[in-house]
Amino acid sequence: MLKLIRYDFRRSRDRILAALVILVLFHIGIWLSSDSSVSDTVSAHLVAYFAIGAVFLFFASFNYNRNLKSYQRQLLPVKALYTVLSPLLLYWLLLVCLLIIGLLQLGLYILFYSADFLPANFWTVAARSVLQCTWSAGFVLLMIMFASTVARSIPLNKKIWVTLIIVFGLQSAVGYLEELLFSNYFMGIDSAFRFEIVKASDIPSGLEMLYAGSGPWPFFFEAGIALLLIYGMTVLVQKKTEV
């Protein structure tokens, strides 16, 4: 498994490092050019992190799709499950790198501006938001990977359109079921930051964060769907390598 992750990372290493350098330079540019406080520039910083996260999602999807087409990759004596899990684990590791950069950036802001600008319960709300966002991003990747696997298993042209149709169908079906069963839509990454900032006169920043995220049941539902997607991909990849 680790060898597969390292192999996939080496193939995209230059692009990954370039994306991280662009992210750091972008944040430095915002910091040096902004005349306002940190609260006024947080949106630009979050958009940058989301953009790089989307770029990493593309890298992981592209690597998995390329592995499905690679005849040399099929000759490797590895389990089909490892082929499925390695892009997901690499993607989560890249998101951890983004998290580390974000924590370093926040540490610099605290060092220069103190921690008084942080709302109450910031760390608790931020931890829940980051965990939910990381899971949601991985779940989206699993749906894309499953769609690519099914498209590669069907003897049809225009596989990109088949992939898009399957992804759209999966996302719509999961979203509908979650809304029907739980009256919630956990999968959307936007829900990871579903909180309110209200005034609180008894804390230094004068602000308090009230988290309004979803409960645990949509997560368990999605975890079950994720296991089914992984199982389906493993079976299809195994059949492909046996042909």
Side-chain angles (χ1 to χ4, degrees):
M1 175 72 76
L2 293 178
K3 290 183 178 180
L4 293 179
I5 294 175
R6 183 171 57 185
Y7 177 74
D8 288 338
F9 173 76
R10 285 180 175 177
R11 288 198 301 183
S12 303
R13 178 176 54 193
D14 293 339
R15 291 189 292 268
I16 291 173
L17 294 178
L20 291 176
V21 169
I22 292 173
L23 175 68
V24 173
L25 293 177
F26 180 80
H27 288 310
I28 293 175
I30 294 178
W31 196 353
L32 295 178
S33 61
S34 176
D35 296 329
S36 56
S37 63
V38 61
S39 59
D40 297 326
T41 59
V42 64
S43 297
H45 291 298
L46 287 177
V47 168
Y49 282 111
F50 276 117
I52 299 300
V55 170
F56 287 162
L57 177 67
F58 172 78
F59 288 164
S61 304
F62 180 78
N63 283 336
Y64 178 74
N65 192 54
R66 183 166 57 179
N67 291 338
L68 292 179
K69 297 186 296 182
S70 175
Y71 178 74
Q72 291 80 4
R73 184 61 175 260
Q74 297 177 22
L75 296 178
L76 294 177
V78 296
K79 296 181 180 180
L81 179 62
Y82 293 169
T83 301
V84 172
L85 292 181
S86 58
L88 176 63
L89 296 179
L90 176 59
Y91 180 50
W92 275 339
L93 288 175
L94 293 176
L95 293 183
V96 170
C97 292
L98 290 182
L99 176 61
I100 293 174
I101 294 175
L103 290 175
L104 291 175
Q105 180 184 0
L106 180 59
L108 290 175
Y109 273 116
I110 293 176
L111 179 64
F112 285 98
Y113 300 106
S114 82
D116 292 341
F117 68 88
L118 294 177
N121 303 327
F122 171 80
W123 295 109
T124 302
V125 174
R128 293 184 61 181
S129 297
V130 168
L131 289 175
Q132 181 172 338
C133 186
T134 302
W135 165 257
S136 298
F139 191 63
V140 171
L141 176 60
L142 280 178
M143 290 192 297
I144 296 175
M145 291 168 55
F146 178 80
S148 299
T149 307
V150 174
R152 289 290 168 188
S153 303
I154 299 176
L156 294 175
N157 295 326
K158 306 295 183 181
K159 296 185 184 298
I160 182 63
W161 294 108
V162 177
T163 301
L164 293 176
I165 291 173
I166 296 175
V167 170
F168 178 78
L170 276 174
Q171 182 175 354
S172 300
V174 173
Y176 173 78
L177 290 175
E178 290 188 14
E179 184 68 27
L180 180 65
L181 297 175
F182 312 110
S183 298
N184 205 341
Y185 191 61
F186 180 84
M187 185 180 59
I189 295 180
D190 57 333
S191 66
F193 297 93
R194 190 181 301 166
F195 51 79
E196 296 180 2
I197 299 180
V198 298
K199 292 183 178 180
S201 58
D202 57 339
I203 57 177
S205 65
L207 300 174
E208 183 178 3
M209 299 181 73
L210 299 179
Y211 188 70
S214 59
W217 292 112
F219 167 75
F220 293 136
F221 176 77
E222 288 190 358
I225 299 296
L227 291 176
L228 291 177
L229 294 179
I230 292 173
Y231 175 77
M233 283 186 286
T234 302
V235 172
L236 292 176
V237 172
Q238 184 65 37
K239 289 183 178 180
K240 183 178 179 62
T241 56
E242 289 177 352
V243 174

